């Protein structure tokens, strides 16, 4: 096991990783920007090193400053958390060149599964279901028009290097396909430095179901079942839960096993999430692979009992996975509500500033992952997530009641938060019924 790890992140995930380190008997070194200099969680680190001013490009995204801090602190490994440098294959490669273990996949495995076109190629080989569409990047317009005619409209053009919903265009006929192909490729080149685009059948109504997987450096990989993340707005998830409500377990098991085959086939070590869309007939289609630990990982930790952050550190240190697939079972139901410093009544406008009141819920089956305490100032510089409420109970109805109870206890002010919205959603008949689609929230907010 490592002696000392540097955490190249901030906020709640930095604190989550500090806790995992300490439970493993590993020292945790945090880096921070000037905007975070007074953050209370830094006191829980064994050492904290300032790496620069508030803008992420000068601090949390600045590779040379982070590597310098790692060398000064003499760490064995770097945990990137999520966001910032977590999915940068060049960063994983630089860590290796500097003889610092990157807690996450090798640059090669990250390139295989992090690239959407490459990931789909691996998926086809591993018999993971994907949308019909172009085989790889589109080489010429006529070929794309032919493919679209074969699969039928509507189709969607996606940038291979895109993400978070950027670089996508839906086309309902040949004329719009031709125009969008040119625009999309040009935009992708400008935005991502890579103009390659591909084509898929477009699914109008879908649920977002993803599979947690983890692999080690000895060729083993297992899945940790699924999460339903359909409750989202503008590609920002707001509620995640596991199991996915109302889905036939046979279908879920098949897709989870497919996801595990995919990471095995890419010789992938570390935690990853394989994203799928599910249609009304409960058919699955892979979208992409996230090559990092995700915000919503606690949902899976609650139903499986597996500590995903600790396990990702263990596999990075070369330990074999401490369990086999047959050892992984799920129990009960977990729901996560993201607490953002935003005002849903004002189009989710960020609501930074001083947190005067911050009283978190507790009691049975309640977990709050947050770095905030009363008196903290939330900088306007980074994302607005200030914490996550995760509840676990015997079944979904009990989990919803527990979430409602915990949300009633949660007091935050005077900054605005997503808490009142979550209270409403826990009482919403469609949410309570289960199985809302990815457009539900945007429809309801209208
Ligand atoms: C799709 C789709 C429908 N059909 N692909 C959006 C983000 C990117 N990861 C993939 N996305 C989508 N791909 C096909 N073939 C609809 C979406 C989509 C979406 C997916 C997941 C969660 C929220 C979404 C919101 C709008 C569109």
């Amino acid at each position: 096991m490592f002696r000392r790890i540097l955490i190249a992140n901030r906020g709640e995930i930095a604190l989550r990783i500090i806790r995992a380190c300490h439970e493993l008997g590993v020292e945790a070194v945090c880096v921070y920007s000037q905007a975070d200099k007074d953050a209370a969680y830094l006191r829980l680190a064994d050492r904290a090193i300032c790496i620069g001013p508030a803008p992420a490009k000068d601090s949390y995204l600045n590779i040379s400053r982070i590597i310098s801090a790692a060398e000064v602190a003499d760490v064995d490994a770097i945990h990137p958390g999520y966001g910032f440098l977590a999915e940068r294959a060049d960063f994983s490669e630089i860590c290796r060149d500097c003889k610092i273990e990157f807690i996450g996949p090798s640059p090669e495995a990250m390139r295989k599964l992090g690239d959407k076109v490459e990931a789909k190629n691996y998926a086809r080989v591993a018999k993971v279901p994907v949308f019909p569409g172009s085989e790889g990047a589109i080489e010429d317009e006529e070929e794309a028009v032919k493919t679209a005619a074969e699969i039928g409209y509507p189709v969607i053009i996606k940038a291979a290097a895109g993400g978070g919903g950027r670089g996508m265009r839906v086309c309902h006929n040949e004329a719009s396909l031709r125009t969008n192909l040119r625009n999309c490729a040009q935009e992708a080149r400008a935005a991502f430095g890579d103009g390659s685009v591909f084509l898929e059948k477009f699914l109008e109504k879908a649920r977002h179901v993803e599979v947690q997987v983890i692999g080690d450096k000895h060729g083993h990989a297992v899945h940790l079942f699924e999460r339903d993340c359909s409750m989202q707005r503008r590609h920002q998830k707001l509620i995640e839960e596991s199991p996915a409500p109302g889905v036939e377990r046979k279908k879920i098991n098949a897709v989870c096993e497919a996801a595990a085959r995919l990471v095995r086939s890419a010789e992938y070590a570390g935690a990853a999430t394989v994203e799928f869309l599910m249609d009304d007939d409960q058919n699955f289609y892979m979208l992409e692979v996230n090559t990092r630990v995700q915000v919503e990982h606690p949902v899976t930790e609650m139903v499986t009992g597996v500590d995903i952050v600790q396990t990702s550190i263990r596999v990075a240190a070369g330990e074999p996975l401490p369990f086999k697939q047959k050892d992984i079972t799920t129990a009960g139901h977990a729901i996560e509500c993201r607490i953002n410093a935003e005002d849903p009544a004002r189009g989710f406008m960020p609501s930074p500033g001083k947190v005067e009141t911050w009283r978190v819920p507790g009691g049975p089956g309640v977990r709050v992952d947050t770095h905030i305490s009363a008196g903290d100032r939330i900088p306007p510089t980074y994302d607005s997530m200030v914490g996550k409420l995760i509840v676990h109970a015997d079944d979904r109805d009990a989990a919803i009641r527990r979430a409602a109870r915990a949300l009633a206890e949660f007091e935050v002010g005077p900054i605005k938060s997503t808490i009142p919205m979550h209270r409403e959603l826990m009482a919403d008949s469609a949410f309570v019924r289960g199985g809302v689609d990815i457009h539900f929230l945007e429809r309801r907010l209208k």
Side-chain angles (χ1 to χ4, degrees):
M1 182 43 60
F2 305 120
R3 277 176 313 121
R4 194 178 294 134
I5 290 172
L6 180 137
I7 300 163
N9 214 300
R10 64 178 300 281
E12 72 87 18
I13 194 62
L15 177 53
R16 173 72 188 86
I17 299 164
I18 292 173
R19 287 172 169 153
C21 287
H22 288 169
E23 289 182 8
L24 288 167
V26 175
E27 283 180 33
V29 176
C30 272
V31 292
Y32 65 95
S33 78
Q34 278 159 15
D36 287 326
K37 68 176 173 42
D38 297 319
Y41 71 87
L42 293 174
R43 291 199 291 265
L44 295 178
D46 296 279
R47 183 171 180 183
I49 302 175
C50 184
I51 49 166
K57 68 170 182 10
D58 302 317
S59 47
Y60 299 109
L61 283 172
N62 193 303
I63 293 178
S64 52
R65 286 177 179 185
I66 289 167
I67 295 288
S68 298
E71 303 210 301
V72 166
D74 190 25
V75 302
D76 311 306
I78 296 181
H79 200 307
Y82 53 69
F84 298 120
L85 297 170
E87 295 185 85
R88 290 267 302 267
D90 59 334
F91 182 57
S92 172
E93 191 158 22
I94 288 166
C95 288
R96 183 165 67 189
D97 292 344
C98 296
K99 309 213 159 25
I100 301 167
E101 200 64 44
F102 176 81
I103 302 173
S106 67
E108 293 79 17
M110 203 190 286
R111 286 185 182 112
K112 287 178 195 168
L113 295 188
D115 178 283
K116 283 195 257 304
V117 169
E118 270 289 278
K120 270 186 92 168
N121 290 335
Y122 276 89
R124 284 189 198 91
V125 175
K127 299 231 180 321
V128 176
V130 294
F131 280 108
S134 56
E135 300 247 326
I138 293 168
E139 301 297 345
D140 80 41
E141 196 174 305
E142 296 314 315
E143 192 194 326
V145 168
K146 218 179 118 206
T147 305
E150 280 164 18
I151 64 179
Y153 289 89
V155 297
I156 183 168
I157 308 169
K158 295 182 177 183
R166 297 189 315 150
M168 309 191 315
R169 293 287 177 86
V170 180
C171 314
H172 290 273
N173 53 54
E174 184 180 325
S176 90
L177 174 62
R178 288 185 189 273
T179 348
N180 279 327
L181 272 174
R182 293 170 208 152
N183 296 339
C184 204
Q186 216 156 38
E187 267 179 37
R189 204 169 302 116
F192 318 113
D194 173 6
S196 44
V197 297
F198 62 100
L199 197 69
E200 279 180 353
K201 175 84 185 163
F202 178 67
L203 183 60
E204 311 246 11
K205 182 167 180 283
R207 286 168 63 184
H208 182 181
V209 178
E210 59 184 29
V211 179
Q212 177 71 57
V213 289
I214 189 161
D216 67 19
K217 293 179 176 176
H218 309 277
H220 311 298
V222 301
H223 71 78
L224 301 174
F225 294 95
E226 84 285 9
R227 297 181 288 259
D228 188 322
C229 310
S230 300
M231 194 67 86
Q232 62 86 39
R233 175 188 174 267
R234 299 197 179 167
H235 308 290
Q236 296 296 317
K237 296 167 185 164
L238 281 158
I239 296 174
E240 303 97 344
E241 61 180 307
S242 185
V247 186
E248 234 185 278
R249 290 318 295 175
K250 244 176 68 188
K251 288 185 175 166
I252 285 285
N253 288 336
V255 81
C256 288
E257 277 160 26
R261 282 200 301 276
L262 175 64
V263 296
R264 235 171 266 138
S265 78
E267 296 177 87
Y268 182 103
T273 296
V274 187
E275 292 189 357
F276 294 88
L277 287 183
M278 185 187 81
D279 68 19
D280 280 340
D281 299 323
Q282 304 196 344
N283 296 306
F284 288 82
Y285 308 93
M286 191 190 80
L287 286 177
E288 56 196 71
V289 181
N290 299 315
T291 59
R292 59 167 194 278
V293 65
Q294 285 190 281
V295 173
E296 59 270 29
H297 76 275
V299 164
T300 300
E301 295 188 323
M302 302 294 265
V303 293
T304 61
V306 172
D307 187 316
I308 294 169
V309 179
Q310 277 194 35
T311 310
S312 70
I313 295 171
R314 286 187 186 281
V315 298
E319 293 183 20
L321 281 174
F323 38 70
K324 295 205 161 56
Q325 188 66 64
K326 66 167 170 43
D327 304 322
I328 306 295
T329 55
T330 85
H333 198 96
I335 301 176
E336 173 176 279
C337 298
R338 293 197 191 189
I339 315 301
N340 299 342
E342 294 171 353
D343 187 358
R346 291 209 167 76
F348 291 79
M349 215 179 10
S351 180
K354 192 170 175 190
V355 186
E356 305 279 1
T357 308
W358 181 263
R359 264 197 285 276
V360 303
V366 173
R367 166 175 170 182
V368 179
D369 278 20
T370 183
H371 60 296
I372 298 291
S373 22
D376 283 1
R377 196 164 273 290
I378 297 164
T381 322
Y382 310 109
D383 80 343
S384 57
M385 200 180 72
V386 287
K388 308 178 297 204
L389 165 69
I390 309 103
V391 298
H392 183 239
D394 287 345
D395 57 40
R396 188 168 187 271
D397 285 341
I400 292 173
R401 288 195 301 271
R402 183 158 273 170
R405 186 272 291 171
L407 288 160
E409 290 179 21
F410 217 140
E411 275 187 71
V412 180
I415 61 154
K416 298 282 188 243
S417 83
T418 48
I419 292 171
M421 181 204 65
H422 286 302
R423 289 183 189 135
E424 284 181 27
L425 286 171
M426 292 306 127
D428 183 283
S429 59
F431 177 73
V432 171
R433 211 176 305 127
V436 300
D437 71 83
I438 55 178
H439 307 294
F440 169 81
L441 198 55
E442 273 143 357
R443 274 198 308 268
R444 190 179 183 279
L445 291 167
K446 272 202 193 117

